Amino acid sequence: MLLVAVVLPWSTLSLPGLFEGPLNSPGTLQLLAICLVFAGLALGYDLLFGRAGLLSFGHALYVAAGAYGVDILVSHYGWQLWTAAAVTVPAAAVLAALLGSVALRTSGIAFSMVTLAFAQVGHIVINRDPGGLTGGEEGLPLSSAGLPAMFTGVVNTVNLYWLALAFLTVVVLVVHAIDRAPLGRTLTGLRDDERRIAVLGLSPYRLKLLAFVLAGTLAGLGGVIYALVVGGASPHIASSELTLSLIVMAVLGGAGTRWGAVVGGFLYAYLDQRLARLGGSLPGPFGEPLFVLGTLFILAVYFAPGGLASLGSRLEPLRRALRPRRPGDGHPAPVTDAV
Amino acid sequence: MILKINDLSVRLGGSHILQGVAFDVAETGVTALLGRNGVGKTTTLRAVLGEVPATGEVLFDGRPALGRATHRLVRDGLGYVPEDRCVFAGLTVAENLRLAVRVPSPDFDLVFDLFPELRQRAGQRAGTLSGGQQQMVAIARVLLNPNRLLLVDEPTKGLAPAVVTAVAAVLERVATRVPILLVEQNLAVVRRLATDAVVLEAGRTAWRGRAADLLSDADATRSLLGVGTTAGRH
Amino acid sequence: MSTVVLLALTGLGLAALYFLIASGLSLVFGLAGVLNFAHGLFLSVGAYAAWTVSESWGLAPAVLLGIAVAAATGALVELVLIRPLYTRHTEQVLVTVGLSLAGVALLQSVWGADARVFPRPAWASSVVSIAGAQVPADRFLLIGAAVLVLLGLLAFLRFTRYGLVIRAGVENRDMVSALGIDVRNAFTLVFTIGGALAGLAGILAGMYFSSISPGQGASLLIFAFIVVVIGGLGSVTGAFAAAVAVGLLQQFVNYYGTAGAGDVSVVALLAAVLLLRPAGLAGKAAPA
């Protein structure tokens, strides 16, 4: 899949209906870049939700920290992009460590509420425009003065696309490395039965905090990339609605699976943008992207509890039945159990 | 047979807690369900009640019980006295009893005859009662309604010796009216009440027969229950 | 002094709204274990239903209709969406999340994204003089409604069979079933009550702010969540005390501190309460 993404900018193919203009036009590339960023953000969130079983309602805060952090340093203080990013991402990590260490003293629904409340503070502060820093409800456009020439101008949209793809690759590498490492198994063990992990002599609190900080760092990085791709930051990315949509993405795709959240994030972001553009031409509530996505999501919870990733494994018996039988193919292949 | 259990299996959170439990409960008397800690005694009761998902066959009063809602089984006469009493701590004694009533003429006479103390403590919050008094409330709750079978889980756990004797005396009286499937660690109580016995080991039925036969066999008791027959509790 | 009185009464008015939303949320969570993100939708549905007929029917019947529609929405959501996912709490939360997103979008497509002017009884626009303060009468409308609801709810919980089942179910749902009671009927009931109270809150919020908009429920909902957690999940009196604390704190700090400081201080209060008493002011330990 990533391979397709790599060759895509050289394609002049037109897919009418799916995209306006050929694949390598700036408009399409920007749309795709946003989809890639959300794919990465969703997978980063799934490290918390699908793997560690932490239902955080405040992930938007760290995305916003990354986006506003870099935006403010570049646009108000005239920093160079790379220096600003190098400061912002660790700052998001520190923020996640501080707030996570408080929030993780609670568990279950209370944890969800505390993270929601912390993020709400971020949303409120950004909306109030303290000291004229955040631009309030209008948002803060990213000043191009501090940006390298390669990221400015419409002709360079392809570079933003590369950047978004690089971000997604980083998230995929990190999360998949964790999946393979003992840490990944410990985290899923934590999700399934916290006492068992505690019996092994590991501290559930520290493990959860580690996952929280890692996810927060990836979110901060994603925020930086997002600000570059869309050319600024707006209060929407700090809202609880953004976190809710990350949850929707992870669940739609298949929480806790290798590629589920990536696919879910990409599709969600694509539909969100396309539906918004088509909005006027669709009848009634179907003109509202959130109506369509929310309804899809509810249907997915009922009819595809493992998300899109589980549909593949559900079709597996059918595929096996159709496959010609080879000697030694006697017992069925294990069906991956999507959670 | 009021209860027939066959090939009962329960999986919870990846572990196979019951792996084909099979035994029957007679129409009269007390059947003791025994075994070491963690062999699945409580899980067996909860599976019969439909509180945990289970596979296999359970016939209560001749009808399949698995897959039926807990409250329907209870209305059909399956009374449950859970481990740790589970009285509603924030409700008064009277409210705890009133909540349990589901027939037009509940047997308050029997309840206050067995537990006269509950009448005086009607207005007290159940959470402030002693363990023995809470156990009385828990037993009284099921006795208000007619039952075909009682599931009683460790009724003497954590109680003082004098209270243990009192609870055993009550159960002995109750057992003359309705059969009981009793989970109990205290072998003196088992000896006093039980007619039949079933022993579980690692999620399976390891022994079934007359309670007296089990308790008179020192080797079987030691190997199955991990205790000598003379010791009341380990 | 007059400023303090005005701030206090305004804070209590806000507290009344929080309480009306939070009491239903708290009962739903305490009994059914569902963190209901769609609760804000019930609020908006009630407000829009009342707004739609208020011109032709008059205000009082419109209010009753709004409450009824919101109650029916609550019952329907429980029966159709929540019940099939019995005991699968994470999925239930996810469904309410989806519903809150889709529902607000649906309202927006029917009534538009812009705020609508909401009618109020004439006397609510008058001003009452108390201890030198000129207090708008709508505050008393909110406070009075909340106090009546509190008393009604407490009487219902204390003196009725269903109230008994709900109180017991908040403590231990499984044990209620094990007494032969179909506890799911009580779930539908708390969703209906929660819907009705949220609808009332939506209408009163409309009167208080003089306008309604599709997103209004969601923004009030976050503070109601905070009230629920501070008050202790499942506790009506806890929710009442927490609503008063949150409403007053928010008003006073917003007035004497910088803009937005009140909202921040409410969250700080939440963090403090959770760290000191994870179960909230009056609650039992939160299950899961």
Side-chain angles (χ1 to χ4, degrees):
Chain A
M1 197 175 73
L2 289 179
L3 205 69
V4 177
V6 171
V7 298
L8 206 137
W10 281 282
S11 163
T12 51
L13 196 66
S14 272
L15 297 171
L18 284 182
F19 299 104
E20 291 159 4
L23 284 179
N24 66 351
S25 67
T28 304
L29 282 175
Q30 199 204 13
L31 187 153
L32 287 171
I34 292 173
C35 295
L36 291 173
V37 171
F38 274 104
L41 287 174
L43 184 62
Y45 178 74
D46 201 39
L47 180 63
L48 280 185
F49 175 58
R51 284 154 177 87
L54 294 169
L55 184 54
S56 162
F57 278 113
H59 207 59
L61 183 62
Y62 310 101
V63 181
Y68 274 98
V70 86
D71 197 353
I72 288 170
L73 290 178
V74 168
S75 304
H76 283 302
Y77 297 100
W79 287 33
Q80 288 304 304
L81 172 67
W82 303 118
T83 352
V87 170
T88 302
V89 176
V94 171
L95 183 66
L98 281 177
L99 298 182
S101 62
V102 175
L104 284 165
R105 286 183 190 280
T106 62
S107 64
I109 293 297
F111 170 78
S112 304
M113 308 301 317
V114 180
T115 50
L116 176 69
F118 283 156
Q120 193 58 23
V121 171
H123 191 216
I124 291 167
V125 168
I126 286 170
N127 262 318
R128 304 273 175 179
D129 195 11
L133 275 181
T134 64
E137 287 173 22
E138 306 289 308
L140 181 63
L142 188 58
S143 143
S144 56
L147 300 183
M150 59 186 283
F151 291 139
T152 55
V154 174
V155 287
N156 283 325
T157 308
V158 67
N159 291 328
L160 293 173
Y161 174 87
W162 291 124
L163 197 64
L165 185 60
F167 164 66
L168 173 60
T169 313
V170 167
V171 179
V172 166
L173 288 176
V174 169
V175 174
H176 286 183
I178 292 172
D179 279 348
R180 276 190 300 274
L183 175 63
R185 282 192 296 278
T186 321
L187 284 179
T188 47
L190 207 60
R191 175 193 67 196
D192 297 337
D193 189 353
E194 190 161 306
R195 281 161 303 177
R196 206 158 55 191
I197 297 302
V199 167
L200 291 175
L202 299 164
S203 154
Y205 177 77
R206 282 193 200 168
L207 284 166
K208 288 193 278 190
L209 187 57
L210 181 61
F212 196 84
V213 172
L214 270 171
T217 313
L218 291 175
L221 182 62
V224 170
I225 310 294
Y226 180 82
L228 282 169
V229 171
V230 304
S234 63
H236 173 74
I237 57 163
S239 68
S240 57
E241 208 172 81
L242 185 96
T243 307
L244 295 186
S245 59
L246 289 177
I247 297 173
V248 173
M249 292 171 196
V251 173
L252 266 184
T257 58
R258 280 175 70 79
W259 295 101
V262 174
V263 175
F266 192 94
L267 274 182
Y268 183 103
Y270 170 79
L271 285 175
D272 192 24
Q273 297 178 77
R274 286 298 289 168
L275 289 170
R277 212 158 300 173
L278 292 173
S281 60
L282 293 170
F286 294 98
E288 299 281 344
L290 275 179
F291 176 76
V292 178
L293 289 166
T295 310
L296 259 180
F297 175 63
I298 293 175
L299 293 175
V301 171
Y302 284 101
F303 300 111
L308 293 171
S310 76
L311 293 180
S313 58
R314 282 194 191 179
L315 296 176
E316 186 63 21
L318 182 71
R319 227 177 293 156
R320 254 203 320 275
L322 295 175
R323 202 186 301 148
R325 203 164 263 278
R326 289 188 309 266
D329 205 15
H331 49 91
V335 177
T336 38
D337 212 14
V339 177
Chain B
M1 291 297 155
I2 184 69
L3 186 71
K4 292 169 83 75
I5 297 177
N6 216 338
D7 197 24
L8 184 67
S9 287
V10 171
R11 284 173 186 278
L12 280 181
S15 47
H16 204 164
I17 297 174
L18 298 187
Q19 318 181 16
V21 167
F23 64 88
D24 298 339
V25 177
E27 299 270 357
T28 55
V30 174
T31 303
L33 183 59
L34 307 171
R36 297 166 199 246
N37 283 330
V39 294
K41 301 181 298 276
T42 296
T43 306
T44 303
L45 297 192
R46 297 190 62 203
V48 169
L49 265 171
E51 284 192 349
V52 291
T55 58
E57 188 187 39
V58 175
L59 293 178
F60 168 55
D61 217 0
R63 294 176 61 195
L66 291 189
R68 297 187 65 206
T70 302
H71 67 272
R72 294 200 183 281
L73 289 167
V74 174
R75 282 182 200 171
D76 285 350
L78 190 60
Y80 181 44
V81 181
E83 191 180 7
D84 302 324
R85 351 281 182 221
C86 294
V87 297
F88 298 101
L91 273 52
T92 64
V93 170
E95 284 174 334
N96 265 281
L97 296 181
R98 204 164 76 226
L99 182 70
V101 169
R102 55 168 200 275
V103 289
S105 50
D107 201 345
F108 275 104
D109 292 343
L110 171 70
V111 163
F112 289 132
D113 183 30
L114 287 171
F115 309 113
E117 210 182 332
L118 294 186
R119 200 194 287 272
Q120 295 130 36
R121 297 188 180 272
Q124 189 175 339
R125 273 175 188 248
T128 62
L129 297 173
S130 71
Q133 290 159 344
Q134 290 190 3
Q135 190 63 61
M136 292 177 196
V137 174
I139 297 174
R141 273 194 311 209
V142 299
L143 295 182
L144 288 169
N145 308 291
N147 293 290
R148 301 281 294 126
L149 171 68
L150 297 186
L151 308 178
V152 183
D153 197 350
E154 302 223 23
T156 65
K157 185 176 162 190
L159 300 182
V163 186
V164 169
T165 314
V167 168
V170 166
L171 290 176
E172 198 167 28
R173 251 187 87 184
V174 172
T176 59
R177 311 163 145 251
V178 55
I180 299 178
L181 176 59
L182 173 72
V183 173
E184 180 58 69
Q185 298 273 9
N186 185 330
L187 287 189
V189 173
V190 173
R191 188 184 302 278
R192 175 169 172 185
L193 297 175
T195 39
D196 298 294
V198 177
V199 184
L200 300 186
E201 204 169 55
R204 291 195 174 83
T205 310
W207 194 93
R208 53 209 260 200
R210 306 289 299 170
D213 295 344
L214 176 71
L215 296 175
S216 62
D217 183 343
D219 288 341
T221 324
R222 193 174 300 113
S223 70
L224 290 169
L225 308 178
V227 289
T229 47
T230 47
R233 288 182 83 93
H234 48 261
Chain C
M1 179 61 201
S2 64
T3 316
V4 173
V5 171
L6 179 61
L7 283 175
L9 285 168
T10 306
L12 287 176
L14 208 54
L17 281 183
Y18 292 156
F19 168 71
L20 290 176
I21 307 169
S23 53
L25 268 178
S26 192
L27 282 180
V28 164
F29 186 84
L31 182 69
V34 181
L35 184 65
N36 185 15
F37 273 85
H39 209 78
L41 178 65
F42 302 165
L43 185 145
S44 303
V45 165
Y48 274 100
W51 179 82
T52 307
V53 299
S54 62
E55 288 266 304
S56 47
W57 292 21
L59 198 52
V63 168
L64 291 180
L65 178 89
I67 294 172
V69 169
T73 310
L76 204 66
V77 165
E78 198 281 330
L79 287 171
V80 177
L81 293 174
I82 303 295
R83 185 169 286 207
L85 297 171
Y86 186 60
T87 71
R88 287 159 60 192
H89 294 315
T90 303
E91 275 94 337
Q92 288 176 330
V93 175
L94 296 180
V95 163
T96 66
V97 165
L99 195 62
S100 71
L101 297 177
V104 169
L106 184 64
L107 292 178
Q108 207 157 308
S109 76
V110 177
W111 281 285
D114 297 331
R116 302 278 178 162
V117 176
F118 201 85
R120 44 159 61 177
W123 63 267
S125 303
S126 61
V127 173
V128 182
S129 183
I130 294 177
Q134 301 294 309
V135 183
D138 54 7
R139 270 60 163 177
F140 298 105
L141 177 66
L142 300 184
I143 297 169
V147 169
L148 283 180
V149 165
L150 173 72
L151 296 177
L153 265 183
L154 289 179
F156 167 76
L157 288 174
R158 185 152 184 80
F159 298 117
T160 68
R161 169 85 186 164
Y162 266 113
L164 188 60
V165 171
I166 291 171
R167 277 190 295 148
V170 167
E171 267 194 50
N172 186 343
R173 197 166 44 229
D174 283 349
M175 196 56 224
V176 174
S177 298
L179 291 177
I181 297 161
D182 188 355
V183 78
R184 289 173 307 179
N185 290 337
F187 288 8
T188 316
L189 186 67
V190 287
F191 266 89
T192 312
I193 294 173
L197 296 183
L200 175 62
I203 291 164
L204 291 175
M207 293 178 179
Y208 178 66
F209 298 115
S210 299
S211 69
I212 51 170
S213 62
Q216 202 165 52
S219 53
L220 282 168
L221 186 65
I222 291 193
F223 286 103
F225 271 145
I226 294 174
V227 165
V228 169
V229 177
I230 292 179
L233 303 160
S235 165
V236 170
T237 41
F240 190 77
V244 170
V246 166
L248 289 177
L249 181 71
Q250 201 175 12
Q251 262 323 300
F252 277 91
V253 178
N254 266 343
Y255 183 82
Y256 290 108
T258 60
D263 304 353
V264 175
S265 64
V266 167
V267 174
L269 176 68
L270 169 76
V273 168
L274 275 172
L275 290 176
L276 298 174
R277 292 191 58 166
L281 290 180
K284 56 163 187 168

